[in-house]
Amino acid sequence: MAGGAAPGGSTASDTYARARHWLLMPSWAVLGVFVLAPVCVMVIYSFLTKEFRGGVIWDPTLAAYDQFFFDRGLFGDSDPKLQWTYITIFWRSIWQAGLATILSLLIGFPTAYYIATRPAKTRALWVFLITIPYWVNLLIRTVSMKFLLRDEGPLNDFLLNIGLITEPLQIINTNLAVQLGLFYSYLPFMVLPIYAAVERYNFSMSEAAADLYATKWTTLRRIVLPAVRPGVIAGCILVFVPSLGAFLAPDLLGGAKNFMIGSLIEEQFKGNAGNWPFGAAASMILLSMVLILLMIFAHQQRRAEASA
Amino acid sequence: MNSSAELAVDVRNAVKRYGDFTALQQISLGIRDNEFFTLLGPSGCGKTTLLRMIAGFEDVTEGGIFLFGDEIENLPPHKRPVNTVFQNYALFPHMSVLENVGFGLEMKGSSRKEAAKRAGEMLELVQLSQFAGRKPAQLSGGQQQRVALARALAPSPKVLLLDEPLSALDLKLRKAMQIELKHIQRETGITFIFVTHDQEEALTMSDRIAVMSAGELQQLGDARAIYEKPRNMFVADFIGDTNLLEVSVDKVTNGRAECRISGNHALSCDAVDGVDVGARVHLSIRPERLLLSDQGIEGSSLKGTVAENIYIGTDITTIMDVDGGPKITVRTSNTERGNKRIFEPGSRAYVNMETGAARLLVD
């Protein structure tokens, strides 16, 4: 601007910027109280000493992290060795959550695609139907799953009755049960973002591909999937992240052998047997992993956008 | 007999219904090889439906479509040797311009390298070589349009289908592209089937035009025939500006029809099959083929009063109140050449028709 604003004088845009600051305050307050503060508490607790009946003693230490990664023997005075127990649980969680994500993607993508290609009038109905089970509490739904899958449950009864099997299948208390539970819990989080992406997809691109001699499968792979990729990635994150920290499905469907990180953390804060700093440290490790994952995603998105 | 093997596309009694709605009723037309053929009509007339039936995106309810003599009904789009330029271009946003153009070739089995080479040549043809590495979103509308054209031409289709490809461009660019398309069609010798609702565009580019309305073929002919010898009211009204006068036919002799319009003015014109004595039909007269004058000509004049002169740059449009009859529009070229006469509003004058300017319309 030729004249410029007089130094110290306030212009319209200054006023606007200040107003915007104040108008954003409620959002900042909510984020601060409900997101930032709990995370800070968790970070601090993870560096404190445990109190035996739950709670913490204000004595800073790295003991919680040390316990997670290293084994120093029963009395804590042996040479430190890598402690595999928790790393194994962690690894199993990633594995389970990954499989549940893939399962959700395999079922969720065709579902979302089907809904998005219905006439506009019926699409809302389909989306509504997808969300209906979620009006019931997750705990109740998971318990129902347990009932369905158990040895004398309806699933085995049905399979026995139609003569497909002669003995009840052992599904409950297996990895498969956990995956089914996670899949069932989080499927809509896969379907909805993919649905949104496919709905925005311009289907004349599929026609153009067919016109240019591409088969349906090639069109899906080369044209549709790249176009709806952000929706697919969002769906995968939305299923993977909560699956990683889930404790209901592993607890109720997986039994003691199929312990996941969510259950481990939950136990640290339950009753008197818990270890708050250790639970906080495990949460921190989980959180960092998720954060790294999201950063990789964000980075990829930026790169894809830059090249588009 | 006109064997369908000589025709690039032969549409035989094609009908398209969506439930109760009939989008196309019994269309038959033959499109010759190497021809620039245009399907022209207002939106909803079925022209795009017919194009999509040829491409394979819509199936044919009744009748058949033959491509160089072969029935293509049962071929899915990806097996038909035709390519389409889509109205919204439908370029693949995640691929570079070169990859877009090479896509069809790659799908047809060319190696990536061959496809890229041929795609490069195509980009040269549409003068976009320097943009080969860009993504479609980084190009202007006109450039995207040319990429879509290059992409559809690259696999050397037997027939190229163009679905209102120029409708998103501004006027100047559209005019330039019309000429360019015509050149490319001549150079490549590929049969073009072009869909548009813009009559001027159709007249500019086409070897032949099929005028469509309400799912029916109204008239098929070259630009001159369509403009100068419209068959019916719809064609006369849709193509260009015209005066439509209600007439009754008094007499038909030696290929001439004597007509009368309200106000008891007599006009004579060429007789037309299907219009007989006593018929009450319409007469179409193009405004640029009328002249204002002090003197009338027997059988070719209407006397009246000048109501208004409208200056539109290239022409001056005069609205005349014909005595006891309708209003009539006369267009006078805005040049100093020829017998230009402009009459002030309120003055009395004759409107004289050029020979052959009046055309009787069936229905």
Side-chain angles (χ1 to χ4, degrees):
Chain A
M1 219 200 302
S10 98
T11 65
S13 76
D14 277 350
T15 316
Y16 180 70
R18 222 172 298 134
R20 200 172 50 178
H21 232 75
W22 284 107
L23 288 171
L24 278 173
M25 283 304 279
S27 310
W28 284 117
V30 169
L31 282 175
V33 173
F34 293 104
V35 179
L36 208 59
V39 172
C40 287
V41 169
M42 203 173 70
V43 173
I44 294 166
Y45 273 31
S46 74
F47 291 107
L48 297 177
T49 308
K50 76 170 173 182
E51 161 84 76
F52 278 99
R53 265 160 277 124
V56 287
I57 299 165
W58 285 82
D59 187 8
T61 166
L62 281 172
Y65 291 94
D66 188 82
Q67 185 189 346
F68 193 95
F69 291 109
F70 300 108
D71 179 7
R72 291 178 191 273
L74 195 55
F75 304 103
D77 49 7
S78 329
D79 286 339
K81 282 185 300 189
L82 257 186
Q83 152 78 290
W84 288 104
T85 319
Y86 303 121
I87 297 173
T88 308
I89 291 174
F90 231 100
W91 174 242
R92 188 190 302 132
S93 303
I94 293 171
W95 179 246
Q96 293 279 54
L99 284 179
T101 306
I102 291 168
L103 191 61
S104 301
L105 182 61
L106 289 179
I107 304 292
F109 188 89
T111 309
Y113 192 90
Y114 179 83
I115 297 175
T117 50
R118 289 316 93 195
K121 272 188 235 156
T122 50
R123 270 180 234 157
L125 178 71
W126 285 103
V127 171
F128 174 73
L129 289 176
I130 288 278
T131 56
I132 279 188
Y134 296 81
W135 300 4
V136 176
N137 183 283
L138 178 62
L139 176 64
I140 293 169
R141 278 183 289 132
T142 310
V143 172
S144 313
M145 272 290 268
K146 187 183 173 101
F147 171 76
L148 277 171
L149 297 178
R150 70 197 167 129
D151 293 1
E152 312 84 37
L155 179 66
N156 270 315
D157 275 357
F158 173 73
L159 292 176
L160 282 169
N161 277 337
I162 62 165
L164 207 68
I165 51 171
T166 51
E167 262 177 43
L169 285 176
Q170 163 77 46
I171 301 174
I172 203 76
N173 295 344
T174 63
N175 280 336
L176 178 66
V178 177
Q179 276 146 29
L180 284 176
L182 292 174
F183 159 74
Y184 173 64
S185 304
Y186 302 116
L187 182 62
F189 298 131
M190 183 64 85
V191 173
L192 295 177
I194 297 179
Y195 162 73
V198 176
E199 204 200 14
R200 261 181 287 129
Y201 172 71
N202 172 8
F203 277 92
S204 64
M205 292 202 305
S206 288
E207 287 189 345
D211 191 64
L212 294 163
Y213 316 107
T215 58
K216 287 210 158 119
W217 172 242
T218 310
T219 304
L220 179 71
R221 212 166 38 84
R222 299 269 313 257
I223 310 297
V224 181
L225 275 180
V228 302
R229 210 184 62 125
V232 172
I233 293 177
C236 288
I237 288 177
L238 288 178
V239 172
F240 183 77
V241 170
S243 293
L244 197 57
F247 59 90
L248 277 178
D251 273 6
L252 293 170
L253 304 171
K257 276 199 317 233
N258 301 298
F259 214 59
M260 281 173 63
I261 188 79
S263 317
L264 178 71
I265 294 169
E266 185 210 6
E267 281 204 343
Q268 306 312 317
F269 295 97
K270 228 164 57 176
N272 289 339
N275 178 344
W276 287 21
F278 181 66
S283 298
M284 279 307 299
I285 292 163
L286 184 65
L287 187 121
S288 324
M289 262 180 40
V290 170
L291 211 61
I292 289 168
L293 214 86
L294 288 177
M295 273 158 66
I296 292 172
F297 167 64
H299 177 74
Q300 280 224 328
Q301 273 308 97
R302 253 201 311 278
R303 219 177 43 184
E305 267 159 37
S307 69
Chain B
M1 188 192 128
N2 194 357
S3 156
S4 74
E6 293 162 23
L7 296 170
V9 177
D10 188 9
V11 180
R12 290 190 203 159
N13 299 316
V15 176
K16 177 70 189 178
R17 284 194 209 98
Y18 299 100
D20 291 339
F21 174 70
T22 307
L24 277 186
Q25 11 210 355
Q26 292 267 336
I27 295 259
S28 287
L29 47 87
I31 296 160
R32 298 173 196 140
D33 200 6
N34 299 343
E35 183 171 39
F36 198 121
F37 191 91
T38 297
L39 296 169
L40 172 66
S43 57
C45 74
K47 57 192 191 299
T48 296
T49 304
L50 181 56
L51 194 82
R52 291 172 58 81
M53 281 157 73
I54 298 170
F57 301 131
E58 307 278 353
D59 41 60
V60 184
T61 314
E62 275 168 36
I65 295 175
F66 295 78
L67 194 72
F68 292 95
D70 297 325
E71 164 91 77
I72 50 172
E73 168 80 62
N74 295 318
L75 287 183
H78 72 269
K79 290 194 175 147
R80 297 193 184 191
V82 299
N83 290 129
T84 308
V85 179
F86 291 83
Q87 184 170 14
N88 57 16
Y89 316 142
L91 298 175
F92 308 133
H94 56 285
M95 295 185 193
S96 72
V97 165
L98 193 75
E99 286 167 331
N100 262 282
V101 178
F103 187 81
L105 295 155
E106 216 185 299
M107 292 301 118
K108 266 182 111 179
S110 302
S111 69
R112 237 164 229 251
K113 213 173 139 192
E114 279 172 62
K117 185 170 168 281
R118 168 100 175 126
E121 289 167 15
M122 279 297 129
L123 285 178
E124 228 162 90
L125 180 71
V126 297
Q127 295 154 27
L128 282 178
S129 299
Q130 68 272 39
F131 298 114
R134 294 220 189 152
K135 290 280 160 68
Q138 294 167 300
L139 302 182
S140 71
Q143 290 164 337
Q144 290 183 16
Q145 206 284 323
R146 298 222 291 271
V147 174
L149 179 66
R151 185 178 70 174
L153 282 170
S156 312
K158 288 185 173 173
V159 175
L160 187 75
L161 310 174
L162 302 103
D163 185 7
E164 308 221 15
L166 308 181
S167 59
L169 306 181
D170 62 57
L171 186 64
K172 240 184 175 150
L173 200 52
R174 192 155 73 225
K175 297 228 157 168
M177 275 308 291
Q178 288 170 3
I179 307 292
E180 200 172 325
L181 271 178
K182 183 76 197 158
H183 286 167
I184 289 173
Q185 193 266 329
R186 269 199 218 119
E187 267 171 54
T188 56
I190 293 172
T191 308
F192 276 35
I193 304 179
F194 189 91
V195 161
T196 183
H197 63 265
D198 181 337
Q199 40 101 12
E200 202 183 321
E201 194 165 280
L203 296 177
T204 307
M205 294 193 286
S206 320
D207 293 324
R208 286 195 307 153
I209 300 167
V211 184
M212 293 174 68
S213 160
E216 283 180 286
L217 181 62
Q218 302 294 333
Q219 188 169 358
L220 175 63
D222 61 20
R224 205 177 194 114
I226 297 275
Y227 187 79
E228 293 179 9
K229 297 199 163 83
R231 200 176 66 84
N232 59 23
M233 282 272 283
F234 177 82
V235 178
D237 196 30
F238 188 71
I239 313 285
D241 296 328
T242 197
N243 292 295
L244 288 170
L245 308 177
E246 263 180 66
V247 298
S248 56
V249 181
D250 288 351
K251 204 160 78 178
V252 179
T253 39
N254 300 330
R256 295 288 291 176
E258 305 292 331
C259 308
R260 196 157 294 280
I261 74 165
S262 57
N264 213 20
H265 301 271
L267 287 175
S268 82
C269 60
D270 287 336
V272 166
D273 281 350
V275 179
D276 299 317
V277 175
R280 294 193 64 85
V281 289
H282 283 86
L283 191 70
S284 161
I285 311 170
R286 300 286 179 197
E288 71 274 17
R289 302 196 62 185
L290 292 170
L291 281 171
L292 294 170
S293 172
D294 295 325
Q295 278 141 23
I297 309 163
E298 182 62 32
S300 294
S301 278
L302 301 169
K303 192 161 171 50
T305 310
V306 175
E308 200 179 349
N309 285 317
I310 302 156
Y311 178 82
I312 54 169
T314 55
D315 300 298
I316 293 157
T317 298
T318 305
I319 315 281
M320 283 281 293
D321 279 324
V322 175
D323 294 346
K327 281 191 193 313
I328 193 161
T329 306
V330 180
R331 187 169 299 157
T332 310
S333 182
N334 188 18
T335 63
E336 295 305 324
R337 275 172 285 150
N339 41 7
K340 169 178 141 187
R341 280 290 306 269
I342 298 297
F343 291 80
E344 289 310 309
S347 50
R348 303 279 294 159
Y350 285 96
V351 178
N352 295 340
M353 287 190 312
E354 285 178 15
T355 327
R359 170 83 181 168
L360 273 175
L361 304 173
V362 183
D363 68 46

